[in-house]
Amino acid sequence: MLRNAITVLAGTLLGTAVLTAPAQAAVPAPRLVPTPARPGSPDTPGTPGSPDSPGSPDRPGRPEAPPGFVPRTDPLPAGLRTSLATPARPGGKASGLVIGGDQGAHRVVVLNARTRAWTAGSAKWSWAPGVANGFGDVVAGWGLPSDVRVRTARGKRYVLAADSKGFLGAVAYPSGKRLWATDTGVLSNPHAVELLPNGNVAAAASTAGWIRVYAASRGPHSDVYAEYRLRGGHGVLWDPRRKVLWALGDDHLVSLKVGGTAARPTLSERGRVALPSHGGHDLAPVYGNRDRLWVTTNHGVYHYKKSARSFTTGYRHAGNVDLPIVKAVGDHPGTRQIVLTRPSAGCATTWCTDTAEFFGGGGRVAVRTLKGAQFYKVRWFAPAYQ
């Protein structure tokens, strides 16, 4: 059965939702940030490689971590300590399911934004890898889930998860059965994960500074990958229209061509633009506008205009959303309500929050809190790439 699930996942094209944007509300004066055609040079030494190249072997060795080492997902620069949020009390109107990784409870949860009082028991779904559910070989890499998202292949739904301790995986939803997983090592600090149309899995790691495409279509334990070096790798997003993999680092947004075969992928750079401010954090689709991406940094929340190769804050609700240290942001494909997470004062770490904030028209401004949770990112439960 598991082999059949892998076969279904591999070689399938995900459907692209055709969305029509509603009438635009008043847009604040944009803060337009043009980007040079091709600034600088690659962030770190290294050549985009194939699974057979020295930079990305089939069975890579990993540097050893000191005994008892615990990774820090995303330490807050000292100069931004005053930016820690103090969210309002829970309330307001929001609707739709969201998914997030709770680093305090070491699990992935799905919650209903319509429910004003979030509790551990109100979760619609929760999951964590373990020995009992077939993840014994990679469970050491779990404990600090940093990114989770939902994708669909042939009408079946999958959850992708990345963990700062090294775990990367794809599981069937809602069964939680393993499709593919690997442990990249506690020193890599994975920050984002994406399902590609051919069943492979892309990922970004901040501390190790790489973007990889794993040949997950080979099977549930495959550790074959192609690698591209990108300092502070934080985001990956597949673009089915342009057929490129977008990748976000500390200072650049890069578009990558995924070549080779499903069993032997390769990665090469297509384009590169400088970010408008330092410290890239999140990369997400702007639903209803295929020419735009959400991009967040230490200092702001932007729309990237693909055709113009420029960043802008001229989008709806920017007055509420254009904030520092936003770790995740995205709009709902149906309602266009925006959800974001940013570190809050009093949370266990300087990169976590127990609160998701929602912004939208018609009074749809809301706050939802799961007391005691340690979220890094919360996203809409939305499977479409665009």
Side-chain angles (χ1 to χ4, degrees), residues 19 36 89 112 129 141 184 189 213 254 270 272 373:
L19 303 170
R89 294 174 61 86
N112 193 336
T184 67
N189 201 352
V213 169
V254 181
R270 276 279 189 87
R272 165 184 293 249

Side-chain angles (χ1 to χ4, degrees), residues 117-134:
W118 281 355
T119 65
S122 69
K124 300 296 182 182
W125 184 76
S126 66
W127 175 87
V131 175
N133 60 1

Side-chain angles (χ1 to χ4, degrees), residues 180-258:
W180 171 83
T182 192
D183 179 4
T184 67
V186 73
L187 296 180
S188 60
N189 201 352
H191 262 68
V193 61
E194 175 67 291
L195 177 67
L196 302 185
N198 64 359
N200 286 345
V201 173
S206 63
T207 304
W210 49 248
I211 306 298
R212 287 177 180 174
V213 169
Y214 281 87
S217 55
R218 281 188 168 199
H221 302 274
S222 173
D223 203 18
V224 175
Y225 64 83
E227 181 176 292
Y228 172 88
R229 303 296 298 173
L230 183 64
R231 182 182 291 119
H234 264 70
V236 282
L237 179 69
W238 177 250
D239 188 328
R241 190 176 191 184
R242 294 177 177 243
K243 292 183 170 51
V244 297
L245 178 69
W246 294 99
L248 183 70
D250 279 344
D251 297 294
H252 293 94
L253 176 65
V254 181
S255 59
L256 301 173
K257 177 184 178 181
V258 181

Side-chain angles (χ1 to χ4, degrees), residues 16-377:
T16 300
V18 179
L19 303 170
T20 303
Q24 294 289 311
V27 176
R31 176 157 51 87
L32 190 64
V33 188
T35 56
R38 193 174 174 80
S41 58
D43 293 305
T44 54
T47 302
S50 71
D52 296 318
S53 71
S56 52
D58 281 9
R59 281 293 183 186
R62 293 196 295 261
E64 291 295 324
F69 174 80
V70 176
R72 304 178 68 198
T73 296
D74 220 353
L76 188 66
L80 291 171
R81 294 289 176 110
T82 58
S83 298
L84 288 171
T86 306
R89 294 174 61 86
K93 296 180 180 179
S95 59
L97 297 180
V98 296
I99 186 168
D102 181 356
Q103 295 189 347
H106 317 299
R107 65 174 187 157
V108 175
V109 292
V110 174
L111 297 156
N112 193 336
R114 192 182 296 276
T115 304
R116 294 196 176 194
W118 281 355
T119 65
S122 69
K124 300 296 182 182
W125 184 76
S126 66
W127 175 87
V131 175
N133 60 1
F135 293 88
D137 59 318
V138 293
V139 72
W142 182 262
L144 297 171
S146 52
D147 182 45
V148 289
R149 65 187 66 182
V150 184
R151 291 292 182 249
T152 298
R154 287 191 177 178
K156 295 186 178 180
R157 202 153 282 175
Y158 305 95
V159 169
L160 287 293
D163 191 290
S164 287
K165 292 182 71 176
F167 176 94
L168 294 170
V171 302
Y173 178 87
S175 70
K177 291 182 179 180
R178 176 175 179 159
L179 299 177
W180 171 83
T182 192
D183 179 4
T184 67
V186 73
L187 296 180
S188 60
N189 201 352
H191 262 68
V193 61
E194 175 67 291
L195 177 67
L196 302 185
N198 64 359
N200 286 345
V201 173
S206 63
T207 304
W210 49 248
I211 306 298
R212 287 177 180 174
V213 169
Y214 281 87
S217 55
R218 281 188 168 199
H221 302 274
S222 173
D223 203 18
V224 175
Y225 64 83
E227 181 176 292
Y228 172 88
R229 303 296 298 173
L230 183 64
R231 182 182 291 119
H234 264 70
V236 282
L237 179 69
W238 177 250
D239 188 328
R241 190 176 191 184
R242 294 177 177 243
K243 292 183 170 51
V244 297
L245 178 69
W246 294 99
L248 183 70
D250 279 344
D251 297 294
H252 293 94
L253 176 65
V254 181
S255 59
L256 301 173
K257 177 184 178 181
V258 181
T261 65
R264 298 275 177 177
T266 61
L267 276 173
S268 57
E269 183 178 312
R270 276 279 189 87
R272 165 184 293 249
V273 294
L275 298 181
S277 54
H278 175 70
H281 281 302
D282 196 31
L283 178 62
V286 175
Y287 286 119
N289 191 335
R290 296 183 181 184
D291 191 44
R292 294 195 176 199
L293 302 172
W294 287 102
V295 174
T296 78
T297 71
N298 279 340
H299 304 281
V301 177
Y302 310 91
H303 275 190
Y304 175 67
K305 300 170 72 173
K306 302 174 190 176
S307 58
R309 293 173 58 84
S310 64
F311 296 87
T312 181
T313 56
Y315 54 84
R316 291 179 302 151
H317 314 300
N320 292 321
V321 173
D322 184 18
L323 300 166
I325 59 174
V326 170
K327 305 299 187 181
V329 67
D331 56 311
H332 190 282
T335 67
R336 300 296 190 272
Q337 189 172 29
I338 296 166
V339 64
L340 67 81
T341 48
R342 53 185 173 139
S344 57
C347 200
T349 66
T350 60
W351 57 84
C352 78
T353 183
D354 60 1
T355 298
E357 300 173 77
F358 300 83
F359 301 94
R364 296 178 67 82
V365 176
V367 172
R368 298 290 183 264
T369 296
L370 179 58
K371 189 174 181 180
Q374 297 176 33
F375 293 122
Y376 179 62
K377 296 179 181 179

